[in-house]
Amino acid sequence: MDFIGVPVSEDTTNTKNKVKKTMKRQKPFQEPVDNGSVEESESAGSSFPPTFSLSTIKNKQRRHLMFMKLKQEKRKQKLELRKKRKKERDALGDKAPPKDVPKTIENQRVYDETTVDPEDEEVAFDEGTDEFSAYFNKLTNPKVLITTSDRPRGRTVRFCEQLATVIPNAHVYYRRGLALKRIIPQCVSRNFTYLMVINEDRKVPNGMVLCHLPDGPTAHFKVSSVRLRKEMKRRGKDPTEHHPEVILNNFSTRLGHSIGRMFAALFPHDPHFVGRQVATFHNQRDFIFFRFHRYIFKNEKRVGIQELGPRFTLKLRSLQKGTFDSKFGEYEWVHKRHEMDSSRRKFHL
């Protein structure tokens, strides 16, 4: 009986040989040792070798452990260097060199041509003839109408009610489906100087339209990070009916100057210092942070601060001439994110 030899394919033999070679090459895991191992350097208290790299450690837990030790050692080196510099400064006394100013985005800000000079005659003339001149000349008293978008939720309603306790002479009315173009003439006829509309999205306040009456301008803000009084820890008692003081920080450009004047015109002229309440609008990197505090005199040198709430953050989206007009309105300034946010050191307020 004849046997016929069946040829074995070369692919199967090659794959078997490759598997055997790879099995031979595999060796038990060994961590890289660099000049007497890292553990000896750690036990001796010295720094890691200059050629040390965490990427060479394949074990994830070991790599994380070494990363934490490396971070701790860098922190100790910084602390020792800081103590050394302090001793040198104490030894030199008045002859010590000035401290290094840390680099931040604020002090590296790109210069804006519209930065306001307080002694500029053109700026003084514009302030005397703009829409807020009647308020700053004490010819009008602020009266604010606060309303919402259609069918507001509970969180937006509570936010409006708490804003009414912060801004004196503010009244909250519900929208009831009326268009803003119909609300504005009614506000003007009833001597309101401001119309504030709080918009919401998914039951959360996300926008604010602030319209100065009767001639404008109208500003549209994005609202974020809203925290009501019940959500704040260590807050003080509810605010009183005293007129608060107003603090405006870092509104340095012409645009920021007009926005700051718009916020200032929300509050009466003469604050009641007996109430010790302060409303702060702090501009930092074009984000406007609102805080409401009460200060308490502990003694002749120390002053304590209690936050009363609410707190929120504003981001200017547009500034429109005149009263609100979504179709035919003329805009002074519109935030174009892709064009204006190309540089992190360029600010507009």
Side-chain angles (χ1 to χ4, degrees):
M1 188 175 179
D2 297 331
F3 292 95
I4 300 173
V6 180
V8 181
S9 62
E10 296 180 359
D11 296 336
T12 55
T13 56
N14 291 335
T15 53
K16 290 181 180 179
N17 294 332
K18 287 180 181 179
V19 171
K20 290 180 179 179
K21 289 180 180 179
T22 53
M23 292 293 289
K24 289 180 180 179
R25 288 176 183 174
Q26 287 181 353
K27 294 181 180 180
F29 173 76
Q30 293 180 357
E31 293 184 359
V33 180
D34 193 358
N35 297 330
S37 78
V38 179
E39 294 181 357
E40 294 180 2
S41 62
E42 292 174 5
S43 61
S46 60
S47 60
F48 289 94
T51 58
F52 175 75
S53 177
L54 289 171
S55 60
T56 58
I57 302 176
K58 303 302 180 183
N59 190 306
K60 184 177 180 180
Q61 294 180 352
R62 178 65 177 169
R63 184 172 62 247
H64 177 71
L65 180 63
M66 299 301 292
F67 171 74
M68 297 304 294
K69 289 183 178 179
L70 182 63
K71 197 173 182 180
Q72 185 179 5
E73 187 169 339
K74 287 183 178 180
R75 194 181 298 115
K76 288 181 180 179
Q77 291 176 0
K78 284 184 179 180
L79 183 61
E80 291 175 359
L81 183 61
R82 192 180 298 117
K83 289 180 179 179
K84 182 179 178 182
R85 288 177 179 175
K86 186 178 180 181
K87 289 181 180 179
E88 291 177 356
R89 292 183 62 84
D90 294 341
L92 293 174
D94 297 335
K95 297 181 180 179
K99 293 183 178 180
D100 296 334
V101 179
K103 291 183 179 180
T104 61
I105 296 180
E106 283 80 10
N107 59 25
Q108 290 182 320
R109 175 177 181 173
V110 177
Y111 177 74
D112 196 331
E113 297 177 354
T114 62
T115 302
V116 174
D117 185 4
E119 299 179 356
D120 192 352
E121 296 180 357
E122 183 180 356
V123 175
F125 177 77
D126 291 342
E127 289 181 357
T129 57
D130 65 358
E131 298 88 347
F132 309 104
S133 59
Y135 165 79
F136 285 98
N137 292 329
K138 297 186 178 181
L139 300 177
T140 60
N141 292 320
K143 186 179 179 182
V144 184
L145 173 66
I146 302 176
T147 186
T148 62
S149 56
D150 294 335
R151 297 178 182 177
R153 299 292 181 173
R155 184 176 176 81
T156 305
V157 172
R158 288 194 298 272
F159 180 54
C160 294
E161 292 173 352
Q162 292 184 13
L163 280 177
T165 60
V166 172
I167 304 173
N169 202 13
H171 306 271
V172 180
Y173 290 97
Y174 298 110
R175 184 79 167 267
R176 295 178 182 175
L178 290 175
L180 289 181
K181 290 184 179 180
R182 295 182 59 186
I183 297 176
I184 290 173
Q186 296 178 12
C187 293
V188 174
S189 63
R190 297 180 184 181
N191 298 324
F192 281 99
T193 60
Y194 269 102
L195 173 63
M196 181 184 294
V197 184
I198 306 297
N199 297 319
E200 69 172 15
D201 183 30
R202 298 177 183 178
K203 305 180 183 181
V204 177
N206 72 328
M208 176 190 294
V209 177
L210 191 61
C211 180
H212 182 261
L213 301 175
D215 301 322
T218 303
H220 179 226
F221 298 94
K222 177 186 175 183
V223 181
S224 60
S225 304
V226 177
R227 295 191 66 181
L228 303 179
R229 289 185 181 130
K230 288 186 177 180
E231 302 169 355
M232 300 173 60
K233 297 180 180 179
R234 300 177 182 176
R235 67 177 180 89
K237 296 181 180 180
D238 292 341
T240 59
E241 296 182 357
H242 295 92
H243 297 173
E245 306 171 48
V246 182
I247 297 177
L248 303 171
N249 288 334
N250 299 335
F251 294 94
S252 56
T253 63
R254 293 295 293 269
L255 176 64
H257 203 60
S258 59
I259 295 298
R261 287 170 66 84
M262 179 179 284
F263 288 139
L266 281 170
F267 298 86
H269 302 281
D270 301 321
H272 297 161
F273 297 102
V274 179
R276 305 188 313 277
Q277 296 179 158
V278 183
T280 304
F281 294 90
H282 176 75
N283 173 40
Q284 185 173 357
R285 304 181 190 180
D286 287 347
F287 287 92
I288 303 170
F289 300 92
F290 175 80
R291 299 291 185 269
F292 193 57
H293 292 92
R294 179 188 290 121
Y295 56 90
I296 301 171
F297 295 102
K298 296 183 177 180
N299 51 40
E300 296 180 355
K301 296 182 179 180
R302 295 184 61 189
V303 178
I305 292 178
Q306 283 183 342
E307 187 173 0
L308 306 180
R311 65 164 67 170
F312 54 90
T313 305
L314 300 175
K315 176 77 171 178
L316 181 64
R317 291 305 185 195
S318 64
L319 183 64
Q320 181 182 353
K321 289 184 178 180
T323 56
F324 178 81
D325 191 349
S326 58
K327 289 186 177 180
F328 307 105
E330 181 182 355
Y331 289 88
E332 296 184 19
W333 185 86
V334 178
H335 180 254
K336 298 178 181 178
R337 186 165 58 90
H338 296 288
E339 297 179 10
M340 297 181 176
D341 295 347
S342 57
S343 175
R344 294 183 62 191
R345 296 184 290 113
K346 177 69 176 178
F347 306 123
H348 306 282
L349 297 182

